Amino acid sequence: MGRPVVKVNAADLAALRGVVLAMKSADRDLRNTINREQRAALNPIWRESMAEKLNGLPDVDKIILGRGARVRAGNPSQVIAGNSTRALSGGLVPNRWAKSWEFGTSDRNKYRSYERRNRRNGGTHTVTRRTRRQLPALARSGHAIWPAAAETIPRLVSLQVQTVVRVINEKLGN
């Protein structure tokens, strides 16, 4: 599967190492303040990027991939999408199917046989279905989440470094 390419230079790596060390050495109140600030700054950017990538896709894609989009602040921070655990009306749970919906399938006509129980007489019988029929076509670089991540992560990392430095400077200045 294609992975988003994030270009990082040596100066960025030094800044990131400094942020990691600052977060590790910070006391609990300072870490909580930094995490709160990061969530407030990073969540709108990530959600906006996801909404932009989901624009023009079918509504089911917006529901499965877009719900639960957020940034989990911490050391390291994580961008999250397609994380809703609430089942849709047909029973599909988005966080279980987000990967399949993001990358699609190469064979939408594949048949699968399975046993099911008859509600009327309690017996079982075999059914054969095309279980991948609803999935989108294969997209090795993803439909929405991975393109949004590739576009947004450099900006989020930069903003995260700036937020940590600003909050620490504010705390030291007071």
Side-chain angles (χ1 to χ4, degrees), residues 8 23-24 29 43 47 75-76 82 91 101-102 127 169-170:
V8 179
M23 289 287 286
K24 284 183 179 180
D29 291 336
N43 265 327
R47 288 179 178 149
N75 190 15
W101 231 268
E102 172 70 2
V127 292
N169 282 336
E170 287 174 1

Side-chain angles (χ1 to χ4, degrees), residues 50-51 54-67 101:
M50 280 297 300
L54 289 168
N55 190 21
L57 292 178
D59 288 341
V60 71
D61 289 8
K62 294 175 187 176
I63 292 169
I64 292 172
L65 301 176
R67 288 192 181 162
W101 231 268

Side-chain angles (χ1 to χ4, degrees), residues 8-17:
V8 179
N9 63 32
D12 292 342
L13 289 176
L16 291 175
R17 284 190 190 111

Side-chain angles (χ1 to χ4, degrees), residues 3 6 16 25-26 29 39-41 63-64 76 95 97 105 109 112 114 122 127 138 144 146 159:
R3 299 239 153 101
V6 179
L16 291 175
S25 63
D29 291 336
R39 275 191 299 274
I63 292 169
I64 292 172
N95 74 343
W97 284 91
T105 182
N109 291 317
R112 178 172 179 249
Y114 56 92
V127 292
L138 182 67
W146 280 43
L159 190 56

Side-chain angles (χ1 to χ4, degrees), residues 74-141:
N75 190 15
S77 296
Q78 299 172 355
V79 289
I80 299 170
N83 199 38
S84 176
T85 57
R86 178 176 281 179
L88 303 180
S89 61
L92 183 136
V93 180
N95 74 343
R96 291 187 195 154
W97 284 91
K99 181 179 176 185
S100 297
W101 231 268
E102 172 70 2
F103 298 107
T105 182
S106 60
D107 186 6
R108 295 178 66 215
N109 291 317
K110 184 174 182 178
Y111 284 91
R112 178 172 179 249
S113 296
Y114 56 92
E115 296 281 324
R116 79 170 178 191
R117 193 162 173 259
N118 190 326
R119 292 182 186 170
R120 291 186 185 156
N121 64 13
T124 61
H125 60 279
T126 303
V127 292
T128 302
R129 301 273 190 261
R130 289 188 194 132
T131 56
R132 297 181 182 179
R133 195 68 176 164
Q134 300 146 348
L135 295 175
L138 182 67
R140 293 197 184 278
S141 60

